[in-house]
Amino acid sequence: MILVTGGAGYVGSHTVMALLECGKEVIVFDSLELGHMEIIDALKKLGNLKFVKGNLKTLDDIRGVFLSNKNIEAVIHFAAYSRVEESVKNPQKYYYNNVYGTLNLLNAMLEFGVNKIVFSSTAATYGEPVYTPIDEKHPQQPINPYGMSKLMVEKIMDDYDKAYGLKSVRLRYFNVAGADSSARIGEWHDEETHLIPNILKATSDKTFKMFGTDYNTVDGTCVRDYINVEDLANAHIKALDYLNKGGETNYFNLGTKSGNSVKEVFAACEKVKGAHIPLDVCARRAGDPAILVADNSRAKEVLNWNPKNDLNYSINTAYEWEKVLETMV
């Protein structure tokens, strides 16, 4: 049995789907503060899934999962707050949840003899890029509490490996995009902050805002590495296999090694929708680097992971999911 924390959220739910489709028995632990029970209900149709509502900040909640499920063999950990701007305004929320909550999880794992974990980390641990594409040797100098909270957890996991033999794989995501190819699940944030769904949601009453067109890039807008969520889910399966085969604690960038500008993404969304999308061009936002692109060579070499789905595929699946989501909210 695989325990997935935050399995009702965006990347977590797609990884649960991938696990179920591999025939794995899964237990999802989620507070439903950011996740949705409708997603869990859709996943339950696909395989052997148990759901437990709880919060990692409450040690007894997560201990109860291990007490009631003696056959947990590994953990995939997604449960976290992840909004950069919010983390700057309210760092206490991020350190308490992302760091203290993870400590509760790791300590429960030690208590019950579970010694393998795949951790949802982030490219935000690198901070402002010194060079690009960014490889795993790039300095880790976060510029916001969100990135710092994830880096703290990575350091804690290093120490827990050395002291207790708890093995971890940290997966540092770049920009996640897309949805399940059959539109069974997808991205669902009550306040959407991600680029592609915000473009697709734009209407005459809700104009899309493009921040900054004077960067030193191909067309003046920021360039980002958009990794498809199904490819990302597959990377978690690969990371789990790596640990099950005796792999040592490790860390990997997850991206495509290529980037797309905001203007390119906007044009692709218009093409998919087959309609004009209203646009406001605004000044730059503080703290937006011009280019963020991953060097994914290590993940390819060590995990044998290769992203298959391009940006157009991600936008198409995101758009199909948006149509489904409109009927649910």
Side-chain angles (χ1 to χ4, degrees):
M1 175 181 281
I2 310 301
L3 170 62
V4 180
T5 68
Y10 177 34
V11 182
S13 62
H14 286 80
T15 302
V16 170
M17 177 174 281
L19 288 166
L20 293 172
E21 290 177 340
C22 289
K24 298 288 188 182
E25 187 180 0
V26 179
I27 181 166
V28 168
F29 178 87
D30 199 296
S31 69
L32 296 181
E33 179 185 351
L34 301 175
H36 299 272
M37 196 64 206
E38 292 91 337
I39 298 293
I40 295 297
D41 291 338
L43 292 170
K44 282 182 175 179
K45 299 173 184 177
L46 304 177
N48 193 343
L49 172 65
K50 294 175 65 176
F51 174 73
V52 177
K53 185 177 180 181
N55 196 307
L56 286 178
K57 295 192 292 289
T58 304
L59 180 58
D60 284 346
D61 282 2
I62 189 61
R63 285 188 75 253
V65 175
F66 286 95
L67 278 168
S68 302
N69 300 275
K70 301 295 187 181
N71 57 338
I72 294 173
E73 58 194 77
V75 176
I76 305 181
H77 178 34
F78 296 97
Y81 295 131
S82 60
R83 293 177 58 191
V84 169
E85 184 178 358
E86 181 186 51
S87 79
V88 174
K89 294 177 180 178
N90 192 0
Q92 180 189 54
K93 176 179 179 179
Y94 277 67
Y95 291 126
Y96 186 41
N97 185 81
N98 294 4
V99 181
Y100 176 72
T102 301
L103 277 170
N104 281 341
L105 172 63
L106 296 178
N107 291 339
M109 290 175 65
L110 292 181
E111 180 181 352
F112 292 94
V114 179
N115 66 352
K116 294 186 287 290
I117 184 169
V118 177
F119 175 54
S120 169
S121 192
T122 172
T125 63
Y126 293 120
E128 294 285 353
V130 179
Y131 56 84
T132 190
I134 296 170
D135 59 21
E136 289 84 355
K137 295 179 182 177
H138 189 285
Q140 286 183 289
Q141 298 174 327
I143 59 173
N144 53 67
Y146 165 62
M148 185 62 75
S149 73
K150 292 286 191 173
L151 181 58
M152 285 179 173
V153 171
E154 289 201 19
K155 298 300 185 184
I156 290 167
M157 287 179 170
D158 281 335
D159 292 338
Y160 272 50
D161 180 13
K162 293 171 186 174
Y164 313 119
L166 196 158
K167 302 299 180 185
S168 63
V169 170
R170 287 85 70 130
L171 300 176
R172 298 169 185 162
Y173 311 166
F174 281 65
N175 288 60
V176 190
D180 166 50
S181 57
S182 300
R184 293 167 292 183
I185 60 172
E187 190 165 7
W188 185 354
H189 300 120
D190 292 328
E191 184 178 350
E192 188 55 69
T193 59
H194 291 175
L195 179 69
I196 291 171
N198 271 332
I199 296 175
L200 294 173
K201 289 176 188 293
T203 65
S204 57
D205 297 325
K206 187 182 179 184
T207 303
F208 173 72
K209 296 183 184 300
M210 184 179 290
F211 294 97
T213 57
D214 58 347
Y215 289 92
N216 185 23
T217 59
V218 63
D219 59 18
T221 60
C222 290
V223 172
R224 296 292 183 264
D225 190 334
Y226 294 93
I227 178 68
N228 176 263
V229 70
E230 291 179 313
D231 286 330
L232 197 62
N234 177 255
H236 291 77
I237 306 298
K238 297 275 191 182
L240 197 57
D241 289 343
Y242 165 85
L243 289 175
N244 285 334
K245 292 175 181 175
E248 293 297 317
T249 289
N250 216 327
Y251 41 86
F252 303 96
N253 288 342
L254 297 182
T256 66
K257 209 172 183 177
S258 63
N260 292 95
S261 73
V262 175
K263 282 185 178 178
E264 288 171 337
V265 175
F266 183 84
C269 288
E270 280 198 320
K271 185 175 180 181
V272 167
K273 285 190 77 170
H276 169 72
I277 297 174
L279 170 67
D280 278 343
V281 175
C282 307
R284 293 186 186 189
R285 291 181 301 191
D288 275 347
I291 301 174
L292 285 175
V293 175
D295 184 334
N296 60 10
S297 302
R298 288 187 78 240
K300 287 184 173 182
E301 179 183 348
V302 179
L303 298 181
N304 192 31
W305 174 75
N306 284 285
K308 298 176 181 177
N309 301 311
D310 63 13
L311 177 66
N312 286 327
Y313 176 89
S314 293
I315 293 173
N316 271 289
T317 57
Y319 185 47
E320 292 305 312
W321 167 249
E322 285 296 327
K323 295 179 196 175
V324 173
L325 190 56
E326 286 178 4
T327 70
M328 299 170 64
V329 295

